[in-house]
Amino acid sequence: MTVRVLGVAPGLTRCGVGVVDVAPDRTAKLVHVEVLRTPADQALELRLLTIGRGIERLLDAHRPQAFALERVFAQQNVPSVMGVAQISGIALLLAAERSVPIGLHTPSEVKAAVTGYGNADKRQVTAMVARLLGLAELPKPADAADALAIAICHAWRRGPVAPEAGPMTPAQRAWRQAEASAKRR
Amino acid sequence: MTVRVLGVAPGLTRCGVGVVDVAPDRTAKLVHVEVLRTPADQALELRLLTIGRGIERLLDAHRPQAFALERVFAQQNVPSVMGVAQISGIALLLAAERSVPIGLHTPSEVKAAVTGYGNADKRQVTAMVARLLGLAELPKPADAADALAIAICHAWRRGPVAPEAGPMTPAQRAWRQAEASAKRR
């Protein structure tokens, strides 16, 4: 069965939200992508309100079966990390309110899943997302591509590959290896 | 005019919420205090949902005129900081949805406001909160006292002291000095 996943790449200035439908044979189709923006000079709570309402609107419009979000670490000690964490808290609340199952994935898990390489750069992720979704143009800005990559990653990682799903792509194989090696650590 | 402030001391395991009424002469009265708790083995999104619903319930029950929250820094690189940031994002969203004005205060601002000393320990903050609110017993756990301290701090810091408000308490004077010295930096 096809699964619809909504992915969020959280950010206060630009928050990417992507919706994809992923079939059992792992092919992915773009449903919707947009970037929620808030002005840097606005009060924090109003920025969070704008982004929260945007995510809410997209959850209700597209009714995804799964919700995927970047896993944030306190170790990423950059000024934007608190805003990212605040948005992720809001996004998790909104999904939980709707009983949409949630998946958290680290940036390197997402990169490994879509490109086969956990240290891929933004350009590579964007190009691979465009290819996987059969898009004529590259999704822009990077936050849009990131949100779609998180959604695709989640759909692929959800469960064991069913035998009828066909052989894994090179990217999937690379990810399985990365995952296995991470588990051994 | 008396102002009602709801203060939140965010935490995933224990989230303190305190409501106080503060008169123009700076005397403070306890309206409500409680600690929202979630089990550590529960899924993150369910913990956030429980805390979000709790804050929502208290906002709607007590209809505060102001909302006060601890300002979180990414520098506090402890494991719990992401949970604290996620709760703060949710709390800010819920207050903004109700158009309740928001104030953010650092832990040392809160301590300085209620005890006169920015490095006060938990015991001192708890004792001072009990004295300021005229409580026969110390508020427990520390998260309850913290939430009340944040609410009192916010009420006192809201605006310039009106002439009719009477002389400042020693704690307020100490805080004004700390604030002035912080501004000079």
Side-chain angles (χ1 to χ4, degrees):
Chain A
M1 240 187 43
T2 296
V3 62
R4 175 165 293 183
V5 185
L6 187 148
V8 173
L12 275 175
T13 306
R14 287 182 306 276
C15 179
V17 187
V19 184
V20 294
D21 280 345
V22 180
D25 68 358
R26 296 176 167 272
T27 55
K29 230 172 61 182
L30 175 69
V31 176
H32 183 82
V33 65
E34 84 180 64
V35 175
L36 307 167
R37 295 165 192 269
T38 68
D41 58 357
Q42 206 175 35
L44 173 63
E45 62 270 25
L46 296 181
R47 302 180 79 182
L48 294 173
L49 186 60
T50 301
I51 293 166
R53 288 197 169 148
I55 293 172
E56 207 160 13
R57 171 173 52 78
L58 293 166
L59 275 170
D60 292 339
H62 298 290
R63 306 198 160 272
Q65 281 122 22
F67 183 91
L69 192 66
E70 216 166 87
R71 189 184 290 280
V72 199
F73 294 103
Q75 284 75 7
Q76 299 163 257
N77 198 354
V78 290
S80 63
V81 78
M82 300 318 291
V84 167
Q86 288 170 326
I87 294 170
S88 89
I90 290 171
L92 291 171
L93 176 83
L94 296 172
E97 280 178 347
R98 289 159 181 77
S99 305
V100 181
I102 284 158
L104 299 174
H105 307 280
T106 65
S108 59
E109 285 168 346
V110 174
K111 288 172 188 170
V114 299
T115 71
Y117 177 54
N119 287 320
D121 63 21
K122 280 188 182 299
R123 211 172 37 82
Q124 292 171 306
V125 170
T126 300
M128 201 61 191
V129 164
R131 195 196 294 183
L132 290 166
L133 296 173
L135 306 178
E137 282 184 37
L138 296 179
K140 276 184 194 164
D143 315 81
D146 283 346
L148 293 169
I150 292 162
I152 294 169
C153 165
H154 182 67
W156 285 355
R157 292 190 74 192
R158 277 170 87 231
V161 186
E164 64 273 30
M168 288 193 276
T169 67
Q172 289 154 12
R173 206 152 38 232
W175 165 74
R176 294 250 157 216
Q177 285 161 4
E179 191 189 43
S181 100
K183 275 185 188 148
R184 281 194 298 272
R185 255 178 254 149
Chain B
M1 237 187 42
T2 296
V3 63
R4 174 164 294 183
V5 184
L6 186 148
V8 173
L12 274 175
T13 306
R14 288 182 304 278
C15 179
V17 187
V19 184
V20 294
D21 280 346
V22 181
D25 70 357
R26 296 176 167 270
T27 55
K29 230 171 60 183
L30 175 69
V31 177
H32 183 81
V33 67
E34 83 180 65
V35 175
L36 307 167
R37 295 166 192 269
T38 67
D41 58 357
Q42 206 175 34
L44 173 62
E45 62 269 24
L46 296 180
R47 303 180 78 181
L48 294 172
L49 185 60
T50 301
I51 293 166
R53 288 198 169 148
I55 293 173
E56 207 160 13
R57 170 173 53 79
L58 293 166
L59 275 169
D60 292 339
H62 299 290
R63 306 198 159 272
Q65 281 120 23
F67 184 92
L69 192 66
E70 217 167 86
R71 190 184 289 280
V72 198
F73 294 105
Q75 284 74 9
Q76 300 163 258
N77 199 355
V78 289
S80 63
V81 77
M82 299 318 290
V84 167
Q86 288 171 326
I87 294 169
S88 90
I90 289 171
L92 291 171
L93 176 82
L94 296 172
E97 279 178 348
R98 288 157 181 79
S99 306
V100 181
I102 285 158
L104 299 174
H105 307 280
T106 65
S108 60
E109 284 168 348
V110 175
K111 290 172 188 170
V114 299
T115 71
Y117 177 53
N119 287 321
D121 63 23
K122 281 189 181 301
R123 212 173 36 84
Q124 292 171 307
V125 170
T126 299
M128 201 61 191
V129 164
R131 193 196 296 183
L132 290 167
L133 295 173
L135 306 179
E137 282 184 38
L138 297 180
K140 275 183 194 164
D143 315 79
D146 283 347
L148 292 168
I150 292 163
I152 295 168
C153 165
H154 183 67
W156 284 356
R157 293 190 73 191
R158 275 173 87 231
V161 186
E164 65 271 31
M168 288 192 276
T169 67
Q172 289 154 13
R173 205 152 39 231
W175 166 72
R176 295 249 158 216
Q177 283 161 4
E179 192 189 45
S181 101
K183 276 187 186 144
R184 281 196 299 272
R185 255 179 252 148

